[in-house]
Amino acid sequence: MATTTDQTAPDSAAPIGRPAGAPDASAGRAAPVSHDISMGVEGEEAHGDVSVDELALSVELSGADGAVATPDVAEYAMWLGDDALILAQQLGWWISRAPELEEDVALGNIGLDVLGHARSFLRYAGTADGRTEDDLAYWRDEPAFRSAWLFEAPNGHFGDTIARQLIASAFQLELYRRLADSSDPALAAIATKSVKEVAYHLDHAAQWMLRLGGGTDESHARIQQSLVDVWPLVDELFRDEPVIDRLEGVAVRPSTLREPVLARIQEILDAAGLETPNVEPSMAGGRRGSHSTRLGYLLAEMQVLARSHPGATW
Amino acid sequence: MTAPLAPASAQGDARATAEQAAIDEAGQARFDALIEADGRIEPRDWMPAAYRKTLVRQISQHAHSEIIGMQPEANWITRAPSLKRKAILMAKVQDEAGHGLYLYSAAQTLGIGREEMTDQLIAGRARYSSIFNYPTPTWADMGAIGWLVDGAAIANQVPLCRASYGPYGRAMVRICKEESFHQRQGFEILLELSQGTEAQHRMAQDAVDRWYWPSLMMFGPPDDESPNSAQSMAWNIKRFSNDELRQRFVGMLVPQAEVLGLTLPDPNLRWNDETRSYDMSDIDWTEFHEVLAGRGPCNAQRLQHRRQAHDDGAWVREAAHAYAAKQAAATTEQVAA
């Protein structure tokens, strides 16, 4: 039961955050000086070996280092990056507001995953003209964004968020699966990493469709309405734009995704006892910079602090 | 826990009482020996009712603090000034939900349900750390919370890894590991701000000015005014006194503040060679008691936010329960057929 705490463990020994070259504040002081942030972990103590294992963290962003995107590839990377960024921004709102603590964690995780995808795509997009991921996220105005309207659809209630997520994840899963074979190595690398995560996101959404569709009368009615509300935005995902013609073998042609994505969604809705909505599609034009009303508010919130301090780093 | 006895007669009653007394006596002896040997009490072990009650109170309060503590930081997720900071902040607030979950689970081993604890929280009958009743008006608050609030939490919590109640101690080990990352990221936010533009530096100093005293109050009242401390120390739940921990924390902050290039807002803070500790100004406990009494800046807002999330999610939880019940019934039918 009594374990000896290893005082050389990283947590009890590592100084925190002193920048390279910063003066050692401990020099010549009488006070017990330590930048050690662990408190009370001492050798003689019986329980509680609080050491932080050293981890080799995986590379934060995926995609080929040093590769420079052409303007067309950058445009396409922005489609996918903006879809993911806007979705992450929306999912982040749920943390502390979900129906269960487990869902705070789950929606937070999904948000983090898609934020990672967004950063990878945007970083690559920025190589075309020397902009960073933050330049693209924080300093573009609404018409320069390329997100589809589905991703901009409001969080609404939990069912609205799950309906949006189901469609988003089914779309991204099929898209990334094919993009993994892109002739562009950077896009292929990002897609290869992202596809595994998106498979979990789709499963999460599908599990909730089953529960909301097959739970109570109220939940069934609500989730069915959520589907009807968001369904007009599905069509835009499969619309080809001129840039796609110039990216043969590099990009995935959106129209080729329609059948497999809708089939997968249909399968999940059938299992959940829900009907595929029969509604007219919206003329949504996010890929051309024409956005839903919601995006302006979303960007205002996302960008406010960064724009209040031009030139600052964080 | 002991099984309830249901005797049929007065004679049976007397016998049952005698049996229970024997069980309690043997249990108490074993419990005392375990505490004496600095051993661990596990959920199935006999334990004094007051020990159980103290732990339920402490662990559930701790869990509530994690959950309410998500709000001040979640406040900046959508406005984080870079995508990297946004990712770190999302991960951090998500960790706090995870801490709440481990702690609720630890409390559940003592015989209280999560729903009961949640109800106590949203009805305003449970306590949580009053530090979370302060608002977070600027981004620098993300740094100050990490450095000062999480720092104070770590100072309080590392000794709890050795708490005599096994599930609590083990939950705390994991929590402390994650908290130490949180503190580092808070320090890093402040360092970046302090070394940034003038406006950023001012923002960092302002946040430290606002969070310093409340973070020192997190260690609780002075030792001579802390009613529950002595018994908790005797039970090996608490290992160091409030004042000891507070002093240790300040000793840690002073050199770190120098590295940050920020000032701790106490003109009387200086090292005393004689006492081998820091002299500091008296803490203004009036404010602490005001916040504790429900008159802090955000007490009502914090509870309202939690209650609304809970209420808004009711239909979702009901759906999940109904679905599970239908699945179970279908399985039973299949087995029967």
Side-chain angles (χ1 to χ4, degrees), chain A residues 19-30:
Chain A
D24 181 352
S26 68
R29 296 184 58 84

Side-chain angles (χ1 to χ4, degrees), chain A residues 1 10-11 14-19 22-23 25-26 29-42 45-53 60 85 88-89 91-93 95-102 104-109 111-112 115 118-119 122 133-134 137-138 157-159 208 210-212 214-216 218-219 222-223 301-306 309-314, chain B residues 34 38-40 67 70-71 74 76-88 90-91 93-94 97-98 100-101 104 114 139 147 151 154-155 158-159 161-164 172-173 176-177 179-181 183-184 187 189 191-193 195 197 199-200 203 239-240 245 248-249 251-252 254-256 258-259 271 273 276 278 305-306 309-310 313-323 326:
Chain A
M1 199 170 290
D11 187 51
I16 65 171
R18 186 187 303 153
S26 68
R29 296 184 58 84
V33 161
S34 167
H35 298 287
D36 177 1
I37 62 161
S38 65
M39 304 283 294
V41 185
E42 286 157 12
E45 295 183 346
H47 312 296
D49 169 22
V50 186
S51 60
V52 178
D53 303 329
E60 198 174 8
L85 175 61
Q89 175 72 5
L91 289 171
W93 178 89
I95 304 175
S96 83
R97 294 182 171 92
E100 294 259 33
L101 289 178
E102 285 83 350
D104 280 308
V105 175
L107 294 174
N109 252 330
L112 269 173
L115 181 56
R119 295 178 61 198
L122 292 180
E133 60 181 70
D134 287 334
Y138 291 95
H157 59 61
F158 183 74
W208 273 115
L210 292 174
R211 280 157 184 76
L212 299 179
T216 62
E218 183 190 4
S219 70
R222 277 182 182 243
I223 191 66
E301 185 175 5
M302 185 174 84
Q303 298 175 334
V304 61
L305 177 58
H309 298 264
T313 56
W314 302 91
Chain B
L34 268 171
D38 204 3
R40 281 206 147 150
I67 300 311
M70 293 167 71
Q71 293 179 33
W76 280 94
I77 287 175
T78 53
R79 292 177 293 167
S82 76
L83 297 184
K84 183 177 179 177
R85 290 287 174 209
K86 188 189 291 286
I88 293 170
M90 283 171 76
V93 183
Q94 188 200 35
L101 283 171
Y104 282 130
R114 206 213 286 183
W139 170 253
W147 183 47
I154 294 170
V158 166
C161 297
R162 301 187 296 133
S164 56
M172 290 314 305
V173 171
C176 285
K177 287 185 182 194
E179 290 292 351
S180 83
F181 282 111
Q183 201 200 7
R184 281 159 212 252
F187 184 90
I189 287 176
L191 190 65
E192 189 80 34
L193 291 175
Q195 297 178 346
T197 66
Q200 285 177 307
M203 195 194 284
R239 299 278 179 163
F240 299 95
L245 289 170
R248 201 189 278 211
F249 180 58
M252 185 189 82
V254 169
Q256 292 183 358
E258 276 189 44
V259 174
W271 177 250
D273 250 336
R276 307 292 301 158
Y278 280 93
H305 180 116
R306 184 88 299 269
H310 188 75
W315 70 276
V316 176
R317 294 190 301 276
E318 281 160 21
H321 288 309
Y323 178 80
K326 287 179 194 174

Side-chain angles (χ1 to χ4, degrees), chain B residues 232-262:
Chain B
S232 284
M233 287 183 78
W235 276 333
N236 293 347
I237 295 174
K238 197 173 163 74
R239 299 278 179 163
F240 299 95
S241 78
N242 295 350
D243 288 331
E244 276 175 308
L245 289 170
R246 188 165 18 240
Q247 182 60 233
R248 201 189 278 211
F249 180 58
V250 170
M252 185 189 82
L253 292 184
V254 169
Q256 292 183 358
E258 276 189 44
V259 174
L260 288 172
L262 297 171

